[in-house]
Amino acid sequence: MIHEVKSWGPDAKTRRAVERFEAQIARDLDDAYAYVNMGLWWHWNEEYARALDHYDAAVRLDPVFAHARCARASLLATCPDARYRNGEVAVRDATVALDVARESGQLTTNWKHRMYLETLAAALAECGDFDAAVQVEQEALPLCITRINEETANARIAQFRAGVPLRVEEGLVRSGPPRRTE
């Protein structure tokens, strides 16, 4: 069943993607990839409860699915709605995600590596560990390949130094996970 979305509504391409993710879930209730993709879509559309439900399902199905843990950590660390923030779980998820991604060779591009580091930094800031958040965000800085990425990272470092946690409506994870080819 397709869920009703906000009145501004998604474009046709997005509607087809949602239909595809929901069909994948209906076909295979154990498809962690479909759950994380659907969670990302809900997150990007600020439907935080639905996003968290899908992220939780993906992590429950595959506890070492780095992308799912990173996406959930992003929501738990940066959500503007306090009801959905949980810094301790966000730090745990972000740490596990980064460790698994490193060990399994998933940090193949600067932007992927930066996404995991920035999520951990945001989670640490949510817990009030701003010194550690600054340190981790500084690790991400050399991975910035555009001036805008670099400016964003520097702004976050300044924000964390000022003791202010990060709030991002659509989270820090900007793409769905690639399918494993095992």
Side-chain angles (χ1 to χ4, degrees):
M1 176 178 146
I2 301 296
H3 297 284
E4 189 172 318
V5 294
K6 294 180 180 185
S7 61
W8 47 267
D11 60 25
K13 182 179 176 183
T14 302
R15 281 193 308 274
R16 284 191 305 273
V18 170
E19 290 169 0
R20 188 178 72 244
F21 299 144
E22 288 185 337
Q24 286 172 344
I25 290 169
R27 259 191 323 273
D28 182 359
L29 295 176
D30 295 330
D31 186 348
Y33 288 84
Y35 281 100
V36 85
N37 281 320
M38 191 77 249
L40 287 166
W41 192 88
W42 287 125
H43 194 167
W44 297 333
N45 287 281
E46 301 173 33
E47 295 284 345
Y48 305 122
R50 288 178 172 167
L52 189 56
D53 286 346
H54 284 82
Y55 293 153
D56 287 345
V59 171
R60 187 176 55 254
L61 290 167
D62 186 351
V64 294
F65 187 178
H67 206 93
R69 285 211 180 240
C70 188
R72 184 169 73 175
S74 171
L75 187 144
L76 295 172
T78 68
C79 188
D81 188 334
R83 293 176 294 174
Y84 302 104
R85 289 196 304 271
N86 183 329
E88 289 179 24
V89 175
V91 168
R92 185 186 69 225
D93 275 352
T95 301
V96 168
L98 183 57
D99 290 345
V100 168
R102 277 184 178 141
E103 291 169 12
S104 62
Q106 294 178 44
L107 304 180
T108 56
T109 61
N110 285 353
W111 72 264
K112 285 180 187 176
H113 196 173
R114 193 178 77 244
M115 175 185 73
Y116 284 96
L117 289 170
E118 289 176 337
T119 301
L120 177 57
L124 291 163
E126 178 58 27
C127 281
D129 192 348
F130 293 103
D131 291 337
V134 166
Q135 183 180 2
V136 172
E137 190 69 34
Q138 286 175 328
E139 285 180 54
L141 197 54
L143 301 169
C144 295
I145 58 173
T146 68
R147 183 180 44 80
I148 291 172
N149 293 149
E150 189 174 317
E151 289 170 359
T152 300
N154 280 317
R156 287 180 183 157
I157 289 167
Q159 182 176 345
F160 296 153
R161 282 188 176 139
V164 179
L166 187 61
R167 299 293 173 255
V168 183
E169 286 84 5
E170 62 282 342
L172 299 171
V173 178
R174 299 283 184 237
S175 67
R179 286 264 181 195
R180 286 188 199 139
T181 55
E182 300 173 308

